[in-house]
Amino acid sequence: MPQEPNKALRIIVPILLIGGGVFIAWSVLQNTSRHGTKGSTPATAPAMPVTPASTAPGADATKPAQPAPTGAGKPSADAKPATPPEQLAVVPPPAEPTPAQPSPGATTGGYSAVFYPAGSEKPFDAIGGLDPAQPYVLELQFSPIGAGLKSLSLRDHYETIAKKTHERIQEFHPNPRDPRLGFAPLAVSGVEVSLPGGGVQFINLAFDPEKAGSYWRQTEPGAFEATIVGPDKAPAAKVVREFDLEQGSYDVVLEQHVENLTQQPLSLKWYQFGPTELPMGTVRYGGDKRRVRFGYLLNPQIDPSRQIVEARRFLIERNEALGKPTPGGAGGAKVYPGKTLWPNADSGKGGFTLVWLAMTNRYFGVALHPLTARPAPAGAPVDKSFSMVAAVDRFVLPGADVASSVIMLRITSNQLTIAPGGAARLDMGAYAGPLSRDSLSTKREPRAAAVGLGEIVVANFGGPCAICTFQTITYLLHDFLTVLRGYVVFDWGLAIILLVVCVRTILHPVTKRSQISMQRFGKQMQALAPKQKAIQEKYKSDPVKMREELARLMREEHVNYAGMLGCLPAFLQTPIWIALSAMLFFTFELRQTPAFFGVFQNLSQAVAGVRWTFMADLSEPDHFIAFGDSYRVPLLSSLMGPIDGINLLPMLMGVVFFIQQKY
């Protein structure tokens, strides 16, 4: 009698395969979705105080001063230890009321900021530069809005392999209603002064929406000051900020302080912009990887040393940080309500202390962090807490759609009391560069490394895959890949091939055992099929007896249904393969790096005078044939990103897989 096919396996195996496929597809769709998703809800953001600042007598409006396109960088002086806080600037989203209105409950106290009309002061100079011959790796251009950044560009990194346009990871985002206004990264919003008779007054130091000019004057390239006058028009306070660069460093030192020029104590809060979100870049199958990140110290009961910095609990995807818009803007337009990201329910429950805050994309990040005391006493613990920051809020400049809207962080200080003639320091560091553990090492960036900013480097797709992407595995794989490239094959492409061979070889015993177990169980079930059918025919009118006889048959033949779990070891390998994929996706060293020593590019350059795009960038598809333009194909592009070429390697893989299955 011919053996019947194993019906159990015919049902179980397809279910497992279909379930795995559905899970993978759902994970990809989750990561590539551009619609707002509801994540953990942080505490509601407090209303941003915004009160109009009086202009200086006789001020006129022309055009705002623009930063100069070039300038020399300045070596940074030793930074002072960080102490207090910051918050965000006053920038009106297009669908919201102008922020130059008193916040509810604010009391007018007669304070104002001196206003410099456009043209009355010289334009702001840039510092650093993009010329490879000069020693600085950053170029900072400044905006008259809050003495913030107009742009921050990287000297050694470019947008594409054509190396024509330098990577710009921070820039001024204009308000569509008034291009003079908008989000200027790291700009000062203003200060909220406590009045002697009670109440508070917010003094705007960002911009005057009705006049062209600035509240800030440049004292030297990268250094600015603003003056606050009291009700009697006598100087009450001076705000000073200075951006300093060090040669070869991506870490900007921002030294700033508020001086009390009166004979009475001055109590105030400080509001400042943080970074804006970075460019999205080309979105591939991994989706939009722009995120908000936080580094923090653990509860003192867990880490009494207060030296361990973690960042794994707060991997906030852009959609989660953005949230969903609500009606309420001018003309019925939708707006994004303010949202407090730190502190939140999780940070409060865990007793975490903020160390740094950041916005990142796939390969770059901009992070604000405290400046630890330098030089630190030998063996003494370093105070890593960002004690000046009381809250971090998220604000949005709405665009035409979700993708074009812009997120900015705002930091708010604790209440500061400044003695007569004294000053409150608000120093901080701003790292703006690659997400690479090598770039963030103690040797290259000692200030950033001292506060654990290396934890910002994470290889994790997020979404449903996040829980099984163990960073310890990604670190080990990355370190092994680096060793293979640096000491064995001397090429990243060959190193990747060798790494995959090594991983598959190590996992081969597990894979083989799983396959043998599945085959053995399949043969056992095929051998039992005739006997099972006979029992089913004999006891078809008595289901209870049928089950008893089938169970007895399994015991007598020493067949256990646990044998069909032979595929389980193979599934347990999944975290390793996910970690390998994530590591290759996020490894900065692979960005714009050609494979196989650039042999395809060198040959095409020698033969045809052009550089072939095939395997010219290991962080992108192989581009065997590049279209020179990109196209969006419904559904397909939502999974794979824009279609801008024909790729050879997936076709070769399909052919090899087909032959393997036949074999």
Side-chain angles (χ1 to χ4, degrees):
M1 181 176 179
Q3 294 181 347
E4 291 191 1
N6 190 333
K7 295 182 179 179
L9 284 181
R10 284 192 170 188
I11 295 174
I12 294 171
V13 172
I15 289 176
L16 291 175
L17 293 176
I18 293 172
V22 169
F23 175 77
I24 293 173
W26 181 67
S27 301
V28 172
L29 286 173
Q30 284 288 101
N31 288 321
T32 55
S33 171
R34 292 189 177 184
H35 299 289
T37 58
K38 186 176 181 180
S40 58
T41 305
T44 305
M48 177 171 59
V50 268
T51 312
S54 301
T55 60
D60 292 326
T62 53
K63 292 183 179 179
Q66 297 298 325
T70 59
K74 300 182 304 177
S76 64
D78 285 344
K80 287 82 180 173
T83 42
E86 331 172 54
Q87 215 190 24
L88 167 72
V90 204
V91 174
E96 294 181 347
T98 302
Q101 299 293 332
S103 59
T107 302
T108 301
Y111 286 96
S112 62
V114 175
F115 186 80
Y116 303 98
S120 64
E121 295 290 321
K122 66 177 183 178
F124 294 167
D125 297 315
I127 62 174
L130 301 178
D131 185 347
Q134 56 86 43
Y136 302 99
V137 295
L138 299 175
E139 182 190 67
L140 276 62
Q141 295 191 9
F142 298 98
S143 167
I145 293 181
L149 298 180
K150 180 183 178 183
S151 66
L152 188 155
S153 303
L154 308 180
R155 183 195 68 184
D156 299 329
H157 303 286
Y158 298 83
E159 291 183 357
T160 66
I161 57 174
K163 297 187 182 301
K164 293 181 179 179
T165 305
H166 290 270
E167 191 74 44
R168 179 180 291 182
I169 59 175
Q170 290 287 275
E171 62 181 339
F172 173 75
H173 294 277
N175 186 326
R177 290 190 305 173
D178 188 344
R180 298 175 307 138
L181 312 179
F183 281 177
L186 308 189
V188 177
S189 170
V191 294
E192 182 183 81
V193 179
S194 297
L195 302 176
V200 296
Q201 180 191 354
F202 183 79
I203 305 170
N204 184 4
L205 294 175
F207 60 83
D208 188 321
E210 312 209 348
K211 294 183 176 66
S214 178
Y215 292 113
W216 297 84
R217 57 183 294 270
Q218 176 180 285
T219 55
E220 60 178 292
F224 312 93
E225 67 175 27
T227 302
I228 298 172
V229 297
D232 57 357
K233 302 305 178 185
K238 183 167 69 172
V239 185
V240 178
R241 61 188 346 225
E242 181 175 356
F243 294 81
D244 287 327
L245 299 181
E246 290 182 355
Q247 298 181 10
S249 175
Y250 292 103
D251 200 27
V252 181
V253 173
L254 175 53
E255 297 179 321
Q256 50 190 9
H257 64 271
V258 181
E259 300 177 17
N260 182 1
L261 305 180
T262 70
Q263 300 302 313
Q264 300 295 328
L266 188 63
S267 180
L268 55 82
K269 281 187 178 181
W270 174 264
Y271 294 84
Q272 180 183 321
F273 280 110
T276 60
E277 62 181 344
L278 283 69
M280 178 170 57
T282 301
V283 176
R284 298 295 181 186
Y285 65 89
D288 185 352
K289 289 302 155 206
R290 290 178 290 178
R291 292 163 169 165
V292 178
R293 304 290 309 283
F294 293 105
Y296 53 90
L297 297 172
L298 299 175
N299 190 306
Q301 296 178 350
I302 300 175
D303 175 29
S305 70
R306 306 291 281 168
Q307 296 297 295
I308 299 175
V309 179
E310 286 192 356
R312 65 188 67 181
R313 294 175 185 258
F314 300 101
L315 192 67
I316 305 175
E317 303 291 342
R318 180 179 189 266
N319 288 335
E320 181 182 344
L322 191 64
K324 295 182 179 180
T326 59
K334 292 185 177 181
V335 297
Y336 291 87
K339 186 177 184 181
T340 297
L341 299 181
W342 188 282
N344 54 50
D346 290 337
S347 68
K349 183 178 179 181
F352 304 141
T353 301
L354 182 68
V355 177
W356 49 259
L357 58 112
M359 298 197 76
T360 64
N361 61 13
R362 181 179 174 185
Y363 289 123
F364 298 98
V366 179
L368 299 185
H369 62 84
L371 295 178
T372 55
R374 297 179 298 156
V382 176
D383 182 9
K384 300 182 179 182
S385 63
F386 207 169
S387 56
M388 66 176 294
V389 177
V392 180
D393 300 319
R394 187 278 293 133
F395 288 87
V396 178
L397 187 67
D401 52 23
V402 171
S404 62
S405 298
V406 179
I407 296 176
M408 171 173 274
L409 300 183
R410 178 185 78 179
I411 52 179
T412 308
S413 78
N414 296 292
Q415 194 75 29
L416 308 173
T417 300
I418 310 173
R425 300 213 61 87
L426 300 135
D427 303 331
M428 68 183 71
Y431 175 83
L435 295 181
S436 163
R437 287 195 293 161
D438 181 58
S439 297
L440 285 162
S441 63
T442 302
K443 181 179 179 181
R444 294 199 175 187
E445 300 290 356
R447 284 190 302 270
V451 293
L453 195 56
E455 294 297 316
I456 198 176
V457 182
V458 60
N460 196 317
F461 288 117
C465 295
I467 193 172
C468 58
T469 308
F470 303 111
Q471 292 308 293
T472 301
I473 299 177
T474 64
Y475 291 155
L476 290 173
L477 292 172
H478 180 271
D479 292 344
F480 188 35
L481 178 69
T482 303
V483 169
L484 292 176
R485 186 265 177 184
Y487 301 98
V488 182
V489 294
F490 310 105
D491 176 77
W492 287 108
L494 293 175
I496 292 172
I497 294 174
L498 188 56
L499 173 64
V500 175
V501 169
C502 292
V503 173
R504 291 195 68 89
T505 301
I506 293 172
L507 296 178
H508 177 69
V510 178
T511 304
K512 182 178 179 181
R513 180 177 179 181
S514 175
Q515 292 173 340
I516 292 174
S517 178
M518 288 292 292
Q519 289 177 349
R520 182 185 296 117
F521 179 74
K523 290 180 179 180
Q524 289 175 332
M525 293 303 294
Q526 287 180 353
L528 286 181
K531 297 180 181 179
Q532 287 178 327
K533 185 174 182 180
I535 292 175
Q536 290 169 351
E537 288 291 334
K538 183 176 180 180
Y539 298 103
K540 60 183 178 181
S541 59
D542 190 351
V544 175
K545 183 66 174 177
M546 180 192 301
R547 287 194 293 271
E548 292 176 352
E549 290 298 315
L550 288 174
R552 181 186 59 78
L553 176 64
M554 297 287 286
R555 289 194 300 270
E556 292 176 353
E557 298 292 337
H558 304 288
V559 178
N560 193 327
Y561 277 111
M564 67 182 176
L565 298 178
C567 61
L568 186 59
F571 278 105
L572 294 178
Q573 301 174 29
T574 302
I576 297 177
W577 294 111
I578 292 178
L580 176 61
S581 179
M583 184 274 293
L584 294 176
F585 183 84
F586 287 101
T587 294
F588 179 81
E589 290 80 5
L590 301 181
R591 181 180 185 268
Q592 299 179 7
T593 300
F596 312 128
F597 305 99
V599 62
F600 299 111
Q601 289 69 48
N602 295 333
L603 285 175
S604 64
Q605 183 73 40
V607 174
V610 294
R611 293 181 67 83
W612 192 12
T613 57
F614 182 59
M615 301 292 289
D617 185 352
L618 287 172
S619 67
E620 288 287 306
D622 62 78
H623 283 102
F624 184 73
I625 299 176
F627 295 154
D629 201 355
S630 59
Y631 306 92
R632 296 201 64 82
V633 179
L635 184 61
L636 188 62
S637 291
S638 65
L639 299 174
M640 301 173 57
I643 309 301
D644 49 14
I646 295 176
N647 302 314
L648 177 65
L649 295 185
M651 298 187 223
L652 291 178
M653 186 176 69
V655 172
V656 171
F657 183 75
F658 176 78
I659 295 174
Q660 181 186 27
Q661 293 303 306
K662 286 294 183 181
Y663 173 77

